[in-house]
Amino acid sequence: MCDEISDDARLKHEDPINYYLKHFHDQEIMGELRWSDPYLYFQISRIHYIQELKDKTLTSKCPDCGDEIIQGEWGEEYCNSCGLVTRSTYDYVGGFKIYLPYGLK
Ligand SMILES: [Zn+2]
């Protein structure tokens, strides 16, 4: 627990961009940055936005065949061609754990 805190402090010092990206959803940390360094805050927001866009582009293609990923009526996402389920709200089907390339929703 103690190590985790000092690692975080070190990351903040050595690599502030990654530190703030890691804590992007922490309102306290980001609120503080917004006041102390608005320029860095703006930069982090932009990087975060670009990363999310990339993530969306990535998860809309099948990792196996590259075809389009579509969403099923139960919220699961699967490949239009090969049927590979890439994302779902559960990773168990009929008592078996299934591998989801893009993880849980
Ligand atoms: Zn596919």
Side-chain angles (χ1 to χ4, degrees):
M1 207 58 195
C2 230
D3 279 335
E4 205 174 296
I5 293 166
S6 65
D7 272 359
D8 224 34
R10 196 167 57 214
L11 183 67
K12 187 180 180 179
H13 180 70
E14 289 173 359
D15 193 352
I17 289 180
N18 271 322
Y19 171 79
Y20 287 113
L21 281 173
K22 186 179 156 193
H23 295 285
F24 193 79
H25 297 288
D26 189 317
Q27 286 187 352
E28 204 178 313
I29 290 174
M30 292 312 287
E32 203 182 286
L33 175 68
R34 195 175 191 162
W35 285 107
S36 63
D37 193 342
Y39 178 76
L40 184 61
Y41 178 83
F42 174 73
Q43 200 182 0
I44 303 293
S45 303
R46 199 173 45 190
I47 293 169
H48 185 260
Y49 176 72
I50 292 166
Q51 282 185 347
E52 274 210 327
L53 273 187
K54 269 194 196 157
D55 200 46
K56 259 186 204 148
T57 318
L58 183 76
T59 58
S60 66
K61 295 265 183 257
C62 175
D64 274 8
C65 67
D67 214 310
E68 193 190 352
I69 298 298
I70 53 173
Q71 188 156 336
E73 62 178 303
W74 304 105
E76 80 281 16
E77 293 173 10
Y78 59 96
C79 175
N80 201 13
S81 294
C82 70
L84 177 80
V85 177
T86 54
R87 232 149 64 109
S88 185
T89 43
Y90 301 103
D91 58 357
Y92 279 89
V93 169
F96 291 96
K97 193 167 170 64
I98 53 164
Y99 171 67
L100 298 165
Y102 298 145
L104 287 172
K105 291 182 82 174

